[in-house]
Amino acid sequence: MELINEHLLSLMVFLPLIGAMLIVLLPKSSEQSFKWIACITTLLPLILAYKIFVLFNRDVAGLSINQGFQFVEKFSWIPAFNIEYFLGIDGLSILMLLLTALLCPLCILASWNINKGLKGYFSLFLLLETGMMGVFCSLDFFLFYVFWEVMLLPMYFLIGVWGGPRREYAAIKFFLYTLVGSVLMLLVMLYFYFMTEPHTFDITRLIAEHKNFLGFGHILWFALYIGFAIKIPVFPFHTWLPDAHVEAPTAISVILAGVLLKMGAYGILRISYPILPEATLYFSTFLAIMGVINIVYGALCAMAQKDLKKLVAYSSISHMGYVLLGMASFTEEGINGAVLQMFNHGTITAMLFILVGVVYDRAHHREIDGFGGLASRVPVYTGITAFAFFAGLGLPGLSSFVSEVLVLLGAFQKFTLYTIIAGTGIILGAAYFLWTIQRVFLGKLDAKYAELPDINIREILSLAPLVVIVVVLGVYPQPVLDLMKASLGYLNSVVGG
Amino acid sequence: MSWEDNEQMLLGNIQSIYYFVPELLLSFFIFIILFMDLLKIDQKVIYALAPLFLLITFMVQTNLDIRSVYLFEGILRYDALGVYFKYFTYIVLFVVVLISLSSNETNTKATTTFGFLPAEYLMLTFGLGIGMILLATSNNMLMTYLAIEFLSLLSYIATGFKFKNKKSNEASLKYVIYGGVASGIMIYGISFLYGMTGSLFYNSIGSFLTNQPTYNVTLFVSILFIYAGLGYKIATIPMHMWCPDVYEGAPTPVTALLSVGPKAAGFILALRLFYEVFSVNFQDITHINWPLFIAIISVFTMTLGNLVAIHQTNLKRLLAYSSIAHAGYVLMGIASISILGQQSVLFYLVVYMLMNFGAFLVVILISNRYGVEEIEDYRGLAWKTPYLGFIAVLMTIFLLSLTGLPPFAGFIGKFYLFSAVIEKGPSYYWLALAGVINSVISLYYYARIIKAMFLEEARTEIALVDGDTQVLGTAILSVLAFFTLLFGIYWGPVFEVITTIFASL
C-alpha cells in the first residue's frame, strides 16, 4: 500500500504501458482478451485518479519550489546531463489528469466494435494514454518533451490504419504539423537549459530563474506559442484538425478533442506562463485576439459544414478560443474559467464524438442533410444528442455555461471590445447546434432509416458518466473549482502581478 | 602538445608494434582467410571463423593500456579517441560480417548467382576495417592520404563485387572517377599545406598555424582542397554525387558498411583535423572562420539530402540520401567546436550505426524473400504474415529513430547535436533552426515507408516466397532494435564512456 501511495503518478502513467506490452506479447489467438486487458489497464488509473482526487490538498500552491507540487516523485535519470525523472501535479494538472483517466476507459468502450488489427489498436491506444498522462505529470522539461512526442506515434498509426478513406493524408498531416511545433519546443528547451546555472531541465528551477531568459524572451515565447498553438489548434494552424477528426475512428476523435487539444493550452499555462512571464504579459492581448478569432471563425466554419464530425471539430476550435481568451485576461475568473472550460470541453466533445460515432456505425455516413426526422425512430439517441448539443451551446444549468460565463466575466474586465465580439460566438454556437438538431432529428423520416436501431446499452454506458458530470458541474462546479483555485490564483499573481 | 616537448610520447618503430598488434592481427587474419581459400576450405567454415577473428582482435585490444602516444616516429596517433574508434570498427565489422552472412547477395548462396567469392569479400571487409583505423589514427598528412586511397580502392572493389550485375559495375566505375578526382584535389591541398608549413605532421602544422598571425589565402585554398577529400569520404555537398549510385548499385551489406564505417572514419579525421590541427583549445586559429564554413556545408548537405530523398522510390537510394542528410547533422556537431560538439559527434556515430545497420538489414531480409527494393513493393508488408509484421515494426523503430523521435536513440543523438549548437550562443541559432526544420522534412519520407508498410493495401503481384526462416538476420535485427530503443531511454553509460575519453585527453 505504502509503495502504491508513494508512486501514484508513476502507476497512473505506466499502468497502461504495462497493458500495452502485455497485449503485444500475447499471441494473436487470444485476441478477445485484448479488449479486457485494455479495459482493466485504463480502469485502474481511473481508480488511482479517484484516490488522487480525494488525497489532493486543495490549499497548496507554488511554482518555483517542489513543495508547490503534490505526489512528487524525483529521481536522477541521466546525471551527466542533469535530466531527472520528475513527476508532480498541482491544481492545473490534476484536472487534466482526471479528465484523461476518465475519458480513456470510455474510449475503450467506444472502440468495442473495432475488428481490424486488435493487437495494434489496443496496444497503441494504451501507449497513447501513457504519453498523455506523462505530459500532465512531468515537471522535468526533457521528460515532458519525451512524453509529448511519444503521443505522436500512436496517434499517427491510430488515424492512419484504423481511420476513414483519406486517413493516410490526415495522419501524415497531423504528424508533420505537430512535429514542427515540437521541434521548436526542443530548441527553446535547450536554450532554457544552457541559460540556467547549473544547467537543468527542472521546470521549478526554470521558473525560479526566469530572469535569465529575458534576452530572447519574446522570441522564445513565440516559438513555444507556435508549438502549443498547433496543438490547440489556434487559427491559422488549425487546418490539420478537421482532417484528422473526420478520418479518425470514434474513440480516437474523442481522445484528440478531449485530451490532446488541451495539451496546447496546458503547455502554455505550465511552461510559457511561469517561465516567461514578461513575454506572456506582452503577448496577452495577442493571445486574446487569437482567442476571439478562434471563437468566431470556428463557429462560422462549423455553421457551413455538411459533415457532422467536421461540425463538431470546428465547434472544438471555437470552444478552445474561450480557453485562450480566459487565459489571456489575467483575472481570477478568467483563468479559472479557462481551465474549467478545458475540462468541460473535454467531457462535452467526448460526448459529441461518441454520439456521431453511434449514428455513423448505423447509417454509415455523417451527412447532416442526409438524415431527417430521426427523432421519431431513435428517441433515446435523439434525447442524449440534444442534451449534448445543449451542453455544447452553453445552456444554463449545464457545465459549459459556467466556464464560458467565467471566461467572459474575466475577459470583460480587460478586453471589453474583444469580449463583446466573442459573445457573438455563443449566438453562433446556438445557431449551428440548433440548426443541426432541426436538420437531423426533426422533419420527415427518410424511408431508408425506418429500421435504424436505437442506441444500445454499451453506448449508453460510455455516455452516462459524461452526462452526469456535465449536469453536476453545471449546477455545482465548486468541487472542481476548489481543486484548481489555489494553484491558478498563485499562477495569476506570479505572472499577472 | 607536440612531441618535441616530450620524448616519451614519441615511440620508435619497434616500440610502436606493441600498440599496433590488433591491426597486425587483423592483417594476419586476412592472410589466413586467403590461405584457407587457396586450400579450398569450405566457404561456410571461413564465414563462420570471421566473427571469431574479430572477437580475438577485440580481446587483444582490450588488453592494451590507453595512453596518448605517437607511433612509428609520429606517423600514427595512439590515444583514447583512436582506441574508441578501434572498438567501434571491430563492432562495425562484426555486425557487417553477420549481416553479409544473412544476405543472399553476399553469403555462400550468392556464389553461383552472382559469381561471388565469399573469402575475397571477407578479406575486403577486413581490409576496409584496417583502412578505417589508419585514417582515424593518422597523424601525418601523407598517411591520411594513403589511408583514404587504401579505403577508397577497397570500396571500389567491394561496390563492384557483383561481377555480373550492370548496376554494380556502373556504380563502381562512378565511384572510381569521383574518388580519383577528390583525392587528387586533396593531395593538391596537402601540397600547399606542406609548402607553407614545411611539415606533414599534424602537430607541426598545428604549431605553425598557431604562430601565424593573419588571414592567408593559401591556407584557405589548402583547407578547402583538403576538405574535398574529406567531404568525399563523408559524402557532403558538393562531393556527395557518388553516394546514391554507389549505395544503390553495391551489394546491400557493402552499402551498409560504406554508409557507416568509412563515413565514421571520415568524421574522426574531421575531428582530428579541425579540432587538433586547425584550432587550439576550441579556438579557430586559421583566421578563415572554418566553423562557419562547416556550418554552411552542414545546412546545405542536410537540406539537399532530405529534399532529394523525398522523391526517391528505391529504398536503398532513399537511405543513401538520408545518410547524406545525416552527415549534415553530424557536421553541426563539428561546426560547434566545443567539447560537447566532440562528444555529440562520437555519440551520434554509435546511434547512427545502430539505426542505419538496422534499416539496411531490413532491406536485405525483404530482398532475400522477394527480391525487391522499391518502396512500392513494401505496401501492406505489415499485414502479410506475423513474421513480416514483426520486421515492419522493427523497421518502423529504425526509421523513427532516423527521424529523431523519442523514445529512440536517434532522438538522443540529435538532442546532443542540437545541444552542442545551442550552447554556442545566438550566432549559432540559425544552424539549430535549420537542423530541426530538416528533421521535420525527413519525417515525411521516412513516414512514406511506414505508410507503405502499414497504411496501404498489399500488392498482390508479389507472391510470398517462403525462404529460410532467416533466424540469424532476424536475431541481429532484434538486437539492433533493442539497443536503438535502450539508448533512447537510458543512454547514460554510453555517454559516460565518451566523456571519459575527453577527460583523458
Side-chain angles (χ1 to χ4, degrees):
Chain A
M1 236 19 223
E2 187 78 344
L3 201 68
I4 292 180
N5 281 338
E6 275 174 18
H7 300 284
L8 271 177
L9 294 183
S10 289
L11 278 173
M12 282 186 78
V13 172
F14 290 110
L15 269 176
L17 187 65
I18 293 169
M21 285 177 180
L22 203 63
I23 291 178
V24 167
L25 293 178
L26 280 176
K28 207 168 179 250
S29 50
S30 50
E31 215 164 53
Q32 288 314 310
S33 66
F34 295 164
K35 288 173 189 170
W36 292 104
I37 293 174
C39 208
I40 292 164
T41 42
T42 49
L43 276 176
L44 286 176
L46 183 61
I47 296 168
L48 295 177
Y50 175 74
K51 198 165 169 141
I52 285 176
F53 177 76
V54 175
L55 293 175
F56 189 79
N57 183 345
R58 271 93 174 141
D59 302 321
V60 172
L63 287 167
S64 52
I65 43 166
N66 286 354
Q67 289 73 33
F69 294 90
Q70 304 182 41
F71 307 100
V72 169
E73 293 172 44
K74 197 171 182 179
F75 307 99
S76 186
W77 178 12
I78 303 294
F81 229 66
N82 226 341
I83 298 172
E84 285 169 333
Y85 174 78
F86 183 14
L87 300 182
I89 52 171
D90 65 353
L92 172 61
S93 31
I94 184 173
L95 220 55
M96 295 299 108
L97 199 62
L98 295 180
L99 180 67
T100 313
L102 175 75
L103 289 184
C104 285
L106 299 180
C107 287
I108 295 290
L109 265 186
S111 2
W112 217 251
N113 280 345
I114 296 281
N115 48 22
K116 175 188 170 192
L118 287 180
K119 187 178 224 168
Y121 182 88
F122 286 105
S123 52
L124 285 170
F125 185 89
L126 292 172
L127 180 63
L128 180 65
E129 186 178 0
T130 291
M132 295 187 297
M133 297 270 195
V135 166
F136 292 133
C137 294
S138 302
L139 288 177
D140 183 282
F141 206 164
F142 188 88
L143 192 63
F144 178 91
Y145 184 80
V146 168
F147 281 124
W148 181 278
E149 295 275 274
V150 161
M151 287 181 323
L152 291 187
L153 191 61
M155 209 62 193
Y156 170 77
F157 282 107
L158 287 168
I159 297 174
V161 177
W162 288 272
R166 287 176 72 234
R167 56 180 194 256
E168 291 162 19
Y169 169 76
I172 193 67
K173 192 170 179 183
F174 163 81
F175 209 166
L176 285 172
Y177 262 73
T178 34
L179 191 64
V180 170
S182 31
V183 294
L184 288 175
M185 191 157 80
L186 175 67
L187 293 186
V188 175
M189 174 173 106
L190 286 170
Y191 179 87
F192 285 161
Y193 175 80
F194 286 110
M195 291 305 279
T196 44
E197 218 39 78
H199 301 335
T200 183
F201 288 110
D202 180 341
I203 290 179
T204 59
R205 288 272 325 284
L206 295 178
I207 294 171
E209 303 201 16
H210 66 88
K211 290 263 185 294
N212 293 359
F213 314 130
L214 283 176
F216 279 84
H218 293 180
I219 297 170
L220 294 174
W221 191 93
F222 205 76
L224 280 177
Y225 168 77
I226 291 176
F228 295 134
I230 288 172
K231 208 86 174 186
I232 289 179
V234 182
F235 178 87
F237 306 115
H238 65 281
T239 56
W240 63 269
L241 182 81
D243 285 315
H245 267 312
V246 169
E247 304 307 327
T250 302
I252 305 311
S253 284
V254 171
I255 289 295
L256 199 55
V259 183
L260 257 64
L261 304 195
K262 311 299 172 293
M263 253 162 217
Y266 173 80
I268 294 181
L269 287 170
R270 168 67 65 230
I271 312 268
S272 310
Y273 266 50
I275 301 182
L276 302 164
E278 288 79 7
T280 309
L281 270 184
Y282 177 83
F283 281 110
S284 65
T285 313
F286 166 76
L287 213 51
I289 293 172
M290 293 322 282
V292 172
I293 292 177
N294 250 34
I295 294 172
V296 178
Y297 176 82
L300 287 173
C301 284
M303 209 178 246
Q305 296 312 313
K306 295 191 172 70
D307 184 307
L308 208 49
K309 221 170 176 183
K310 255 192 170 152
L311 177 131
V312 181
Y314 276 107
S315 85
S316 287
I317 295 176
S318 177
H319 284 141
M320 288 309 287
Y322 290 103
V323 177
L324 284 180
L325 184 62
M327 268 163 41
S329 73
F330 288 109
T331 53
E332 195 82 32
E333 300 89 339
I335 291 198
N336 278 305
V339 178
L340 188 60
Q341 169 77 356
M342 280 157 71
F343 184 85
N344 289 340
H345 175 254
T347 50
I348 292 168
T349 23
M351 272 200 299
L352 291 172
F353 277 117
I354 294 176
L355 285 163
V356 174
V358 168
V359 72
Y360 182 73
D361 279 347
R362 287 162 175 68
H364 305 294
H365 76 90
R366 293 181 300 253
E367 291 291 307
I368 297 175
D369 292 324
F371 298 105
L374 288 189
S376 59
R377 178 62 211 164
V378 285
V380 182
Y381 176 73
T382 307
I384 301 176
T385 311
F387 173 84
F389 277 13
F390 285 131
L393 61 84
L395 194 75
L398 300 179
S399 63
S400 64
F401 174 74
V402 181
S403 47
E404 279 171 26
V405 163
L406 278 175
V407 165
L408 294 176
L409 266 180
F412 194 76
Q413 300 165 27
K414 288 277 170 71
F415 313 106
T416 315
L417 178 66
Y418 302 144
T419 313
I420 292 169
I421 301 172
T424 61
I426 295 193
I427 303 168
L428 291 172
Y432 63 77
F433 274 129
L434 293 176
W435 194 29
T436 309
I437 291 183
Q438 184 206 329
R439 284 184 289 171
V440 175
F441 297 108
L442 307 181
K444 203 169 140 299
L445 180 68
D446 193 323
K448 270 192 294 192
Y449 301 119
E451 295 303 319
L452 204 69
D454 207 339
I455 189 166
N456 63 30
I457 291 292
R458 173 180 63 80
E459 289 154 346
I460 290 181
L461 211 62
S462 65
L463 288 161
L466 298 171
V467 173
V468 172
I469 288 171
V470 168
V471 173
V472 169
L473 292 187
V475 182
Y476 186 60
Q478 207 52 44
V480 172
L481 285 172
D482 280 343
L483 276 179
M484 58 194 190
K485 211 167 171 185
S487 292
L488 293 182
Y490 187 81
L491 179 69
N492 189 22
S493 67
V494 168
V495 182
Chain B
M1 280 302 283
S2 76
W3 63 68
E4 286 91 348
D5 312 330
N6 191 348
E7 286 292 319
Q8 292 289 309
M9 288 171 73
L10 191 66
L11 299 187
N13 286 339
I14 304 298
Q15 284 168 292
S16 303
I17 288 178
Y18 173 71
Y19 291 106
F20 202 62
V21 165
E23 289 89 333
L24 289 178
L25 207 55
L26 217 50
S27 321
F28 175 68
F29 286 138
I30 291 181
F31 282 103
I32 296 269
I33 294 173
L34 182 66
F35 282 120
M36 283 199 294
D37 193 37
L38 280 178
L39 296 173
K40 301 252 185 283
I41 290 176
D42 191 356
Q43 304 282 10
K44 279 183 187 150
V45 177
I46 304 178
Y47 242 124
L49 283 174
L52 192 70
F53 291 158
L54 289 167
L55 217 59
I56 294 170
T57 319
F58 192 94
M59 295 316 289
V60 170
Q61 184 77 59
T62 51
N63 283 328
L64 297 180
D65 54 329
I66 299 174
R67 49 189 288 212
S68 188
V69 289
Y70 297 91
L71 305 183
F72 301 110
E73 309 287 351
I75 293 282
L76 290 182
R77 192 71 198 273
Y78 182 87
D79 59 358
L81 181 61
V83 173
Y84 173 83
F85 187 74
K86 285 175 192 177
Y87 286 127
F88 180 83
T89 308
Y90 304 141
I91 295 170
V92 165
L93 290 184
F94 188 80
V95 180
V96 163
V97 168
L98 293 183
I99 288 180
S100 307
L101 200 49
S102 44
S103 163
N104 285 354
E105 276 179 313
T106 49
N107 63 13
T108 43
K109 267 187 216 136
T111 320
T112 45
T113 337
F114 300 106
F116 196 83
L117 306 163
E120 280 162 31
Y121 171 75
L122 283 174
M123 285 157 57
L124 278 181
T125 319
F126 277 41
L128 275 166
I130 297 174
M132 281 158 61
I133 292 174
L134 289 180
L135 184 59
T137 55
S138 158
N139 188 49
N140 180 301
M141 282 294 178
L142 211 55
M143 185 67 223
T144 312
Y145 176 73
L146 286 175
I148 282 201
E149 281 293 278
F150 180 47
L151 208 46
S152 303
L153 273 173
L154 294 179
S155 308
Y156 307 149
I157 304 170
T159 304
F161 218 78
K162 289 196 285 185
F163 310 128
K164 294 175 184 168
N165 182 309
K166 267 200 181 144
K167 256 190 179 172
S168 180
N169 298 349
E170 183 194 327
S172 185
L173 184 63
K174 272 189 186 159
Y175 204 2
V176 172
I177 295 169
Y178 261 99
V181 172
S183 55
I185 297 176
M186 185 183 190
I187 192 91
Y188 193 39
I190 291 175
S191 72
F192 282 173
L193 206 57
Y194 180 64
M196 277 173 64
T197 63
S199 175
L200 286 167
F201 290 99
Y202 284 5
N203 20 21
S204 309
I205 298 173
S207 29
F208 178 87
L209 293 179
T210 325
N211 303 323
Q212 182 218 21
T214 49
Y215 172 77
N216 180 337
V217 75
T218 322
L219 180 62
F220 178 69
V221 172
S222 158
I223 290 179
L224 199 65
F225 283 3
I226 291 177
Y227 186 82
L230 182 64
Y232 151 75
K233 266 278 139 285
I234 58 182
T236 63
I237 59 147
M239 314 302 294
H240 67 277
M241 274 114 154
W242 58 273
C243 185
D245 289 321
V246 168
Y247 282 15
E248 191 189 349
T252 317
V254 173
T255 309
L257 175 58
L258 290 182
S259 74
V260 175
K263 243 184 191 191
F267 280 115
I268 303 289
L269 174 66
L271 280 181
R272 288 211 190 271
L273 282 179
F274 286 104
Y275 280 43
E276 289 172 16
V277 180
F278 300 141
S279 58
V280 168
N281 290 331
F282 304 114
Q283 292 296 317
D284 173 22
I285 53 166
T286 57
H287 307 285
I288 61 167
N289 198 3
W290 62 258
L292 181 68
F293 170 71
I294 296 279
I296 290 170
I297 289 185
S298 154
V299 171
F300 277 104
T301 305
M302 59 176 119
T303 312
L304 177 120
N306 282 327
L307 289 182
V308 182
I310 290 177
H311 301 288
Q312 301 308 315
T313 53
N314 180 293
L315 202 51
K316 274 166 85 178
R317 255 187 120 75
L318 184 140
L319 287 174
Y321 280 106
S322 122
S323 89
I324 293 175
H326 282 269
Y329 298 137
V330 181
L331 282 186
M332 287 199 308
I334 292 176
S336 59
I337 183 171
S338 63
I339 292 186
L340 190 57
Q342 231 167 347
Q343 293 170 339
S344 63
V345 170
L346 293 186
F347 187 78
Y348 203 82
L349 292 181
V350 175
V351 170
Y352 177 70
M353 170 185 79
L354 288 174
M355 54 199 190
N356 224 39
F357 275 164
F360 276 115
L361 187 50
V362 171
V363 176
I364 289 171
L365 293 184
I366 297 302
S367 143
N368 279 352
R369 277 216 157 185
Y370 301 113
V372 294
E373 282 164 4
E374 299 289 313
I375 297 175
E376 261 304 87
D377 301 322
Y378 276 61
R379 276 165 54 177
L381 189 78
W383 310 103
K384 279 185 178 166
T385 62
Y387 171 72
L388 289 176
F390 178 66
I391 299 278
V393 169
L394 295 189
M395 183 63 162
T396 308
I397 291 180
F398 297 125
L399 291 175
L400 292 171
S401 181
L402 283 165
T403 317
L405 287 182
F408 304 112
F411 166 66
I412 308 299
K414 273 195 185 154
F415 171 77
Y416 278 119
L417 289 173
F418 290 136
S419 297
V421 175
I422 295 278
E423 192 195 23
K424 292 298 284 184
S427 58
Y428 274 73
Y429 290 165
W430 62 275
L431 182 58
L433 194 66
V436 294
I437 290 171
N438 267 289
S439 295
V440 178
I441 299 174
S442 75
L443 170 71
Y444 182 75
Y445 62 83
Y446 291 128
R448 214 152 58 90
I449 306 168
I450 300 174
K451 188 181 93 171
M453 292 190 302
F454 285 91
L455 272 53
E456 290 177 357
E457 295 299 317
R459 276 177 62 148
T460 43
E461 306 95 272
I462 293 169
L464 243 166
V465 185
D466 265 318
D468 317 338
T469 39
Q470 313 207 47
V471 182
L472 177 66
T474 317
I476 309 166
L477 201 61
S478 313
V479 172
L480 291 170
F482 172 77
F483 280 108
T484 308
L485 196 58
L486 180 73
F487 292 160
I489 297 166
Y490 192 69
W491 64 96
V494 185
F495 206 74
E496 261 155 44
V497 168
I498 293 170
T499 319
T500 43
I501 287 177
F502 291 100
S504 71
L505 279 184

